[in-house]
Amino acid sequence: YAHPTTPVLDTLGREGTVFEDAYTPTPTTGPSHSTLFTSGYPAAHGVLKNGYAMLAERRTLAEVLRGAGWQTGAVVSAFPLAARFGYGRGFEHFDDEFPVETASSPWNEWEGFRLRGGFDRRGDATTDRALAWLARTSPARPWFLWVHYFDPHAPYDPPPGYRRLVRDVGERWPAKPLDEQIVAYDAEVRFTDEQVGRLVREAETKGSSGGLLVVVAADHGEGLMSHGWMEHGVNLYEELVRTLLLVRWPGHVRAGQRLHAPVGLIDVAPTVLALLGVPSTSMQPQGEDLSRVLGDGGAPPANRLLFFQRRLYTERDQQELAVGGEEFGVRMGAWKYVSASAQGPPELFDLDQDPGETRNLHTRAADVEERLAATLQQWVATQRGRPAGARSVDPDDVARLRALGYVE
Ligand SMILES: [Zn+2]
């Protein structure tokens, strides 16, 4: 990227391994994090859209580590990842408190949930809280800390001073509103990058003799109008589903490695457990263990199939967002095939030749298309008919409805 948005991540990447082609199966916060923590596709963890709770029988990375004697803490920065949706499972300490003073989004209602505090928390306040937990950890046992940042997200509203760090001061201010939005988003990325630096620096001093394993992952990208859409969720183009994934652990993970084989957030939990030497058997991962790729140079799985699906939308959402029904996709090698039959013909892209997905090769590579269409159809069939996670119900709402005589 031409602008200096991620100096800290660039350094961490050079000191570790960067997966250039890492994917989320669903470019929406809840489903994507559920995949990260359970190594399951949405049908397995049940979070088909935000606001659903992870299925209880699906074990999480934090549960496995806690069971193995680790100290576990988490600080999340936005309501979609609140404990009520299952994300607190396995954490001894889980901070999902969002005081209005440190919120950056103005929302007080979300997906039908009424919020008591703010919707989110700025990254500097999140780092403070994460460091406070680290200070309380015992040196006698290893610890696992999950810190979630939410700043690079709509509304694009960086703290003062950060726009200057991502664009030359002398550069003329963007004339187009879209450019202005992109500069603001970049500035939020820069702010978050700085917070990651602060966190890792401090955490390093709290590391046990084994040193500090750092995994940096993003749950999805942002459209920024690349395919006519500003935010995320509604489609499966690269700018939404291709995510950041880097792993750094000096002495254990190869430094300076940049891998282009497609991998997924679905691989993170089994890979982390394998690196740490903690058995993942109770987890039933659907992803692959990439620890050998990170360590002594095993090759990434060849001809790997990675699947994508758009989050579930209600009919009302569909009308408001102009999205038609379900959308599924598959990536194999350089090929990506995406089908949303209610929206028109499928799309087939050769990502080596066309990383920006501008030329739909539908009907122009018939044998590849036929094979991927059949593979995808088969996979979709196996995802059907599984129980979905329940929509989490607010106990306060139940009390209120009971008072009004709506529920028993
Ligand atoms: Zn998100």
Side-chain angles (χ1 to χ4, degrees):
Y1 192 52
H3 304 285
T5 48
T6 55
V8 170
L9 292 179
D10 294 348
T11 303
L12 292 176
R14 277 193 298 274
E15 295 167 351
T17 291
V18 177
F19 291 99
E20 298 272 9
D21 285 3
Y23 288 94
T24 176
T26 308
T28 299
T29 303
S32 182
H33 280 88
S34 302
T35 294
L36 182 69
F37 275 94
T38 66
S39 185
Y41 278 106
H45 58 60
V47 184
L48 303 178
K49 58 178 292 207
N50 280 332
Y52 281 23
M54 276 195 287
L55 291 168
E57 66 264 29
R58 193 86 202 165
R59 290 264 278 170
T60 70
L61 176 61
E63 286 176 307
V64 174
L65 288 174
R66 188 177 184 176
W70 288 56
Q71 302 170 80
T72 51
V75 183
V76 297
S77 294
F79 181 73
L81 297 177
R84 60 187 296 167
F85 304 119
Y87 300 105
R89 274 165 39 199
F91 289 104
E92 295 164 333
H93 172 79
F94 191 83
D95 184 342
D96 60 356
E97 196 185 64
F98 311 119
V100 177
E101 309 85 66
T102 49
S104 68
S105 306
W107 309 310
N108 53 23
E109 189 272 337
W110 175 84
E111 293 269 353
F113 295 100
R114 234 165 8 96
L115 309 181
R116 264 172 244 105
F119 179 77
D120 56 9
R121 190 191 318 103
R122 290 225 187 241
D124 45 357
T126 290
T127 308
D128 291 345
R129 285 163 174 252
L131 296 181
W133 181 77
L134 272 182
R136 293 199 302 273
T137 53
S138 153
R141 285 187 299 141
W143 50 261
F144 167 60
L145 169 63
W146 170 34
V147 182
H148 163 256
Y149 292 105
F150 194 66
D151 297 82
H153 193 282
Y156 311 127
D157 172 32
Y162 285 84
R163 285 181 173 85
R164 253 185 296 138
L165 298 177
V166 294
R167 293 294 187 276
D168 290 343
V169 180
E171 202 179 315
R172 227 184 316 156
W173 200 242
K176 286 187 287 182
L178 175 61
D179 293 343
E180 211 167 300
Q181 293 278 291
I182 292 173
V183 172
Y185 180 76
D186 282 1
E188 290 186 323
V189 172
R190 175 69 185 240
F191 171 66
T192 305
D193 183 75
E194 192 179 287
Q195 294 306 318
V196 172
R198 226 181 111 208
L199 180 68
V200 170
R201 244 187 347 262
E202 280 289 318
E204 212 119 43
T205 70
K206 297 290 293 176
S208 63
S209 56
L212 182 71
L213 163 60
V214 178
V215 179
V216 190
D219 59 346
H220 53 75
E222 200 76 336
L224 304 176
M225 301 313 281
S226 300
H227 284 90
W229 180 254
M230 197 64 191
E231 299 182 19
H232 50 272
V234 302
N235 62 52
L236 300 174
Y237 291 114
E238 291 288 283
E239 61 270 18
L240 295 197
V241 294
R242 214 171 121 243
T243 68
L244 165 67
L245 181 59
L246 76 81
V247 183
R248 170 192 177 267
W249 192 12
H252 300 265
V253 166
R254 276 210 284 171
Q257 190 175 213
R258 297 185 85 93
L259 295 167
H260 288 273
V263 300
L265 297 183
I266 201 163
D267 304 325
V268 169
T271 299
V272 165
L273 289 172
L275 284 171
L276 298 176
V278 176
S280 61
T281 39
S282 62
M283 192 164 204
Q284 298 174 298
Q286 292 182 334
E288 308 263 348
D289 164 11
L290 303 172
S291 60
R292 288 208 51 229
V293 182
L294 291 168
D296 59 15
N303 280 338
R304 177 80 187 276
L305 292 170
L306 284 167
F307 296 97
F308 311 103
Q309 72 188 85
R310 176 159 63 196
R311 56 160 280 186
L312 206 64
Y313 284 107
T314 63
E315 261 172 53
R316 199 176 124 227
D317 291 337
Q318 288 184 33
Q319 278 169 9
E320 277 175 17
L321 300 170
V323 292
E326 295 181 306
E327 180 168 359
F328 292 98
V330 57
R331 171 152 186 187
M332 195 191 71
W335 294 100
K336 184 169 160 193
Y337 172 84
V338 174
S339 166
S341 50
Q343 280 183 194
E347 291 179 297
L348 179 68
F349 299 107
D350 178 344
L351 295 174
D352 280 350
Q353 303 299 320
D354 178 25
E357 297 168 298
T358 58
R359 292 186 301 278
N360 183 4
L361 301 177
H362 169 55
T363 74
R364 276 181 280 170
D367 50 335
V368 175
E369 184 168 351
E370 217 169 280
R371 202 168 134 211
L372 288 178
T375 303
L376 182 60
Q377 202 179 18
Q378 256 170 38
W379 180 78
V380 170
T382 65
Q383 306 301 297
R384 301 265 189 227
R386 308 235 193 136
R391 191 186 139 83
S392 157
V393 177
D394 191 329
D396 278 9
D397 289 343
V398 174
R400 196 165 47 94
L401 292 172
R402 188 174 289 129
L404 294 169
Y406 285 115
V407 287
E408 291 297 301

